[in-house]
Amino acid sequence: MQMSSHPIQRRRRLIAVVVLSALVGLGSAALATDTIELLPPKLKSSEPHVSAATTHVFVDSQSPSIVNRRALPQDVDTLVKHGELLGRVMVTPPVLRHIARHAHVAQDRIAAVAPPTFGPRALTDAGSEQRAAEIHHLQLPYRLEVQPRQTTPIIDIYAQAPSTEEAVRLANAGVLGLREYLAELGRRQGFKKSQTLRLRQLGTARGAIVNGGAPLSVAVLTFVFAFALSCGAGMLFLRVRERGPVEGRALRGSDHADDAAVDDNWPRTTRVLPWTLAGFIAVLWLVPFDAIELSASLPVDLKFDRLVLPIVVAAFVLAFVVGGRARPRWRPTWIHAAVGAFMIVAFLSVILNARALNQTLEFDLSLKKIPLLLAYLSAFAIAASAVRRSEVRAFLNYTLILAVVCAVGILYEFRFKQNLFYNWSDQLPGFFRMVAEAEAGAVDEAGRRLVRGPAAAPLEAVAMLSMALPIALIGLMQAKAWGGRLLHAVAACLLLAAMFATYRKSALLAPVSVVLTLAYFRRRELLRLAPLALVLVIVIQLLAPGALRMTTFQFEPNQLGVPTVNDRTVDYDAVRPDVWTHLVIGRGWGSYPPTGHRILDNELLLRTVETGILGLLTFLALGVSVILSARKTITSRDPVRSAAALAGAAAAVAFLVMSTLFDVLSFPHATYIFLYMAGLVAVVIDPAWRPEPVRAAPDLHAVRRHGHQPAPPARRPVAEPVDALR
């Protein structure tokens, strides 16, 4: 039974949903930061403050002091090594016994750590056993961290406690406890006082509260999440109840209404929204925006993409408010469901772990990553609702053109050791600054050149170009005229040559995944392109001499033991304690890596650590939903939609493959490109919920007059738009 759709009643129901959602948000925020007491019923704050204090210890020799005499360089180096040794000794149980007595704290409530500062990376990275001990210590209320300096004989002592007074006392106790232990050890072993080291504390410890604003941030984040989730669910419920399946428009709009006005399609349109989206896409392909930020000092880092994207969002909101034919249309698909589930799990991982993250002072790290997540998802939402079906091919062609320009710039960097993208961006006005350099011609630890184009890393450049490669190959398969075939063949050659110019193994793995995806859906068409393989090899050799050999050489058995490969295999065991400690929901979005731990270069491992099994499944669903949702459209061989769906599915496969090779979500170029291409796929496929239209009620007057219900007038057929790549 349908609900009444009277405007006043609809407005009242919307107000009720908003009010109820606000109450849900307030209640969720209260539960996230407070505990509820039953007798008597009240909220009692339970969010503990974390205070910190710091002091410094100068490791000196007995009289005369090294400060008061002309010391040799080897004398200073000796004291630096003594400082490294004493820093490690300070966190041992015998010294902690003295520290706990001076701090008036039980020894088993103090977590003491001293991260190593010398030695190769393989020895300084925390292993699984050390990381398991760190996770246990993170639950303790008192923390003492000792960090010797590498160039001067100074030991930095950092103390953390529930109150500022206790933190200061613990930091000072670290110096007193180490002095007392060294004096006791010297007496026991028969050393004179002049033969021992002297520890000079450089002033008493200073402390302060370091998480004063964390409870408010947790409350605001929880309120916004709960309010948005409940408000969206309530409005969706009202929309379904009010409209029902009338005319099949409940959640999908008209399938052909936006295809009727072919003359108003982008790029032949005056609508602002698609043009702003096209400008943002150009930024993704041609500008190293992650290395550009405002020169002003702000609480958050405003990268260049976060300055451009709000313009697109403002145009989206304006078009939605104005309405009419320019109004964005929401077509729910399983891709929307996957994106929504991923966002919900990411937010929940932060909210549910807020207390633990606050205790370890990692909550701010997660909070800074939330805006980037929202930026990613807004790119998908805008592309999936602002682009018409008849405009998808134009946007894919536009993507291919930008990818070819990007590939030409990468090949130029390979040949002439100049990164044009970074050089051009360095000419921006003075209120922008470059936070990273191009490093054209530099090499990594494996001896490979750093060729990356506008991306932050060569692997990201490969991911970007691999997601544009299927557009060129599909255009080559569908082109009827020799001119079109030649243009798409040249585009495919440039993209592949640029990928191999990065000297990365992924330059072979990503294109293979794209070709296998196309072969699964278009075997016969792809077989006709087999002679092109030889041409590709020749062109790659001409455009990037030696790149093909250098890339394939890395797959030889004697090259699989290089550090870049060994580090990945070591990561599997190193993250085991974090995974098992937070198996379901993870330790919190954006909270990894903690200080002193390793950096993961595998997105699947990173999702498992930060968002748990649920986060891993929803991340995989981002790509799998694109592939499964597009399959029906691909197999239909619709001349307008199948090519676009196939390009998006192949791009999703390439994105998933690259996710196993590096932490792809940490690199915004590749993630933005995948999500806006996923949004284009969501436009061309059938909606997830397509109700059957309801027959209109019979006209009783017509029945009495004619004896039967007259047939409705025939609808005029809608002309299909011309396929841009046929």
Side-chain angles (χ1 to χ4, degrees):
M1 179 177 180
Q2 299 181 20
M3 299 174 63
S4 174
S5 59
H6 192 277
I8 297 180
Q9 295 181 354
R10 185 185 300 113
R11 190 178 299 111
R12 290 176 178 175
R13 286 193 290 269
L14 290 177
I15 294 175
V17 168
V18 172
V19 172
L20 183 60
S21 301
L23 294 176
V24 172
L26 291 174
S28 302
L31 291 176
T33 55
D34 299 271
T35 57
I36 300 178
E37 293 187 359
L38 298 179
L39 296 174
K42 65 177 181 179
L43 293 176
K44 180 180 179 181
S45 178
S46 63
E47 190 69 36
H49 286 296
V50 177
S51 298
T54 182
T55 188
H56 312 280
V57 178
F58 178 55
V59 181
D60 196 4
S61 58
Q62 294 291 345
S63 181
S65 172
I66 194 174
V67 179
N68 299 325
R69 60 186 173 90
R70 182 176 296 178
L72 298 175
Q74 53 265 33
D75 296 333
V76 179
D77 293 339
T78 301
L79 291 178
V80 170
K81 294 178 181 179
H82 283 316
E84 170 71 15
L85 176 62
L86 292 179
R88 307 291 292 176
V89 170
M90 187 181 293
V91 298
T92 58
V95 182
L96 284 179
R97 189 180 308 112
H98 294 277
I99 294 175
R101 181 167 54 83
H102 286 286
H104 309 295
V105 178
Q107 181 179 350
D108 57 358
R109 301 187 67 192
I110 302 176
V113 294
T117 57
F118 295 100
R121 177 183 173 187
L123 299 179
T124 57
D125 278 342
S128 58
E129 293 81 5
Q130 180 181 345
R131 180 57 186 160
E134 290 179 0
I135 293 175
H136 171 70
H137 290 160
L138 289 176
Q139 303 173 1
L140 301 178
Y142 298 90
R143 180 178 177 85
L144 187 67
E145 183 173 331
V146 182
Q147 185 69 58
R149 299 185 185 180
Q150 299 185 24
T151 57
T152 56
I154 295 178
I155 302 175
D156 299 322
I157 299 177
Y158 170 84
Q160 183 176 309
S163 66
T164 303
E165 180 183 357
E166 291 176 305
V168 171
R169 188 166 60 242
L170 179 60
N172 290 326
V175 182
L176 297 175
L178 182 59
R179 284 176 180 169
E180 192 173 89
Y181 172 77
L182 292 178
E184 178 183 322
L185 184 63
R187 288 193 302 269
R188 190 165 58 246
Q189 296 183 356
F191 285 94
K192 297 179 180 180
K193 185 178 181 181
S194 59
Q195 296 175 318
T196 60
L197 294 173
R198 185 177 182 182
L199 302 181
R200 298 173 179 268
Q201 186 176 2
L202 305 180
T204 59
R206 295 178 299 171
I209 297 176
V210 293
N211 72 332
L216 179 60
S217 300
V218 173
V220 172
L221 180 64
T222 306
F223 172 80
V224 172
F225 172 74
F227 175 79
L229 187 63
S230 58
C231 191
M235 290 185 176
L236 180 63
F237 173 76
L238 290 181
R239 192 170 185 181
V240 173
R241 289 290 303 273
E242 287 179 357
R243 292 192 176 185
V246 176
E247 298 180 2
R249 294 180 321 205
L251 294 177
R252 64 184 177 96
S254 174
D255 288 342
H256 301 286
D258 59 356
D259 291 340
V262 179
D263 294 338
D264 192 37
N265 287 335
W266 186 87
R268 301 180 182 87
T269 182
T270 57
R271 291 180 294 131
V272 177
L273 182 55
W275 280 109
T276 56
L277 178 61
F280 180 68
I281 293 175
V283 170
L284 299 181
W285 284 100
L286 304 179
V287 179
F289 56 83
D290 202 37
I292 305 173
E293 64 180 23
L294 281 178
S295 301
S297 178
L298 297 173
V300 295
D301 295 333
L302 285 181
K303 304 292 186 181
F304 191 76
D305 62 312
R306 302 174 201 177
L307 299 174
V308 177
L309 187 59
I311 300 176
V312 186
V313 174
F316 179 85
V317 174
L318 182 62
F320 186 84
V321 173
V322 172
R325 295 191 54 79
R327 185 175 186 178
R329 298 179 182 274
W330 187 47
R331 310 172 183 88
T333 64
W334 291 114
I335 306 176
H336 290 77
V339 172
F342 180 73
M343 182 190 68
I344 291 174
V345 171
F347 270 81
L348 284 178
S349 68
V350 177
I351 294 172
L352 297 181
N353 292 294
R355 294 179 183 273
L357 294 175
N358 185 34
Q359 177 68 23
T360 59
L361 304 181
E362 296 170 342
F363 180 74
D364 288 341
L365 182 62
S366 295
L367 201 61
K368 291 180 179 180
K369 298 293 184 66
I370 291 295
L372 181 60
L373 174 64
L374 295 178
Y376 286 160
L377 302 183
S378 63
F380 165 80
I382 293 173
S385 56
V387 178
R388 298 173 177 175
R389 275 189 176 178
S390 52
E391 296 174 336
V392 170
R393 267 309 180 83
F395 272 95
L396 290 179
N397 289 338
Y398 177 62
T399 296
L400 180 59
I401 294 173
L402 293 175
V404 169
V405 175
C406 178
V408 172
I410 292 176
L411 292 173
Y412 184 90
E413 180 185 1
F414 174 82
R415 298 296 294 268
F416 301 102
K417 297 182 180 180
Q418 291 186 13
N419 192 316
L420 298 179
F421 304 100
Y422 278 77
N423 293 342
W424 293 339
S425 300
D426 200 23
Q427 305 302 319
L428 289 172
F431 47 84
F432 290 105
R433 64 180 178 184
M434 298 289 295
V435 296
E437 297 180 356
E439 298 180 353
V443 296
D444 62 2
E445 57 184 2
R448 299 173 298 183
R449 285 178 50 190
L450 295 177
V451 180
R452 55 182 178 177
L459 278 172
E460 185 183 20
V462 173
M464 295 167 58
L465 298 178
S466 64
M467 287 186 282
L469 180 62
I471 306 176
L473 295 178
I474 294 172
L476 181 59
M477 290 188 295
Q478 292 188 340
K480 303 300 182 183
W482 279 104
R485 293 179 182 178
L486 180 61
L487 289 176
H488 287 95
V490 171
C493 291
L494 289 173
L495 294 177
L496 285 170
M499 282 188 272
F500 279 100
T502 61
Y503 287 158
R504 293 303 184 271
K505 296 185 289 293
S506 56
L508 182 61
L509 298 176
V512 167
S513 66
V514 170
V515 172
L516 291 178
T517 305
L518 298 181
Y520 179 81
F521 292 103
R522 298 289 189 268
R523 288 180 290 274
R524 295 180 180 178
E525 294 88 337
L526 195 62
L527 285 176
R528 291 198 294 266
L529 302 181
L532 181 64
L534 180 60
V535 178
L536 286 174
V537 174
I538 298 175
V539 173
I540 292 174
Q541 286 291 92
L542 294 176
L543 296 177
L548 185 60
R549 171 57 184 157
M550 180 63 181
T551 304
T552 55
F553 173 72
Q554 299 177 57
F555 287 93
E556 296 183 4
N558 59 345
Q559 294 296 317
L560 296 179
V562 296
T564 56
V565 177
N566 291 335
D567 286 346
R568 289 191 177 95
T569 58
V570 173
D571 287 341
Y572 300 135
D573 179 70
V575 301
R576 182 162 45 90
D578 289 280
V579 172
W580 287 109
T581 304
H582 310 279
L583 183 61
V584 179
I585 202 65
R587 71 190 311 273
W589 167 268
S591 63
Y592 198 89
T595 304
H597 204 45
R598 64 182 62 247
I599 298 177
L600 299 180
D601 54 359
N602 184 314
E603 189 62 40
L604 302 185
L605 284 181
L606 192 58
R607 287 303 106 230
T608 306
V609 172
E610 288 189 350
T611 55
I613 297 299
L614 292 179
L616 175 63
L617 294 177
T618 53
F619 172 75
L620 293 175
L622 291 178
V624 174
S625 63
V626 175
I627 301 169
L628 297 181
S629 300
R631 181 175 182 178
K632 182 178 179 180
T633 305
I634 296 172
T635 55
S636 68
R637 294 183 178 268
D638 183 271
V640 179
R641 301 186 294 158
S642 61
L646 180 57
V653 173
F655 181 79
L656 291 177
V657 170
M658 296 301 296
S659 299
T660 64
L661 303 177
F662 75 112
D663 46 333
V664 63
L665 291 187
S666 300
F667 296 86
H669 287 84
T671 308
Y672 274 129
I673 291 172
F674 164 70
L675 286 174
Y676 90 72
M677 291 189 67
L680 297 180
V681 174
V683 175
V684 298
I685 65 176
D686 291 330
W689 190 73
R690 180 189 286 272
E692 295 295 332
V694 174
R695 295 181 179 274
D699 189 348
L700 299 180
H701 296 285
V703 172
R704 295 191 190 99
R705 186 180 308 111
H706 302 286
H708 63 278
Q709 173 73 12
R715 297 181 58 185
R716 296 179 61 184
V718 178
E720 292 288 348
V722 179
D723 191 348
L725 291 182
R726 282 194 298 166

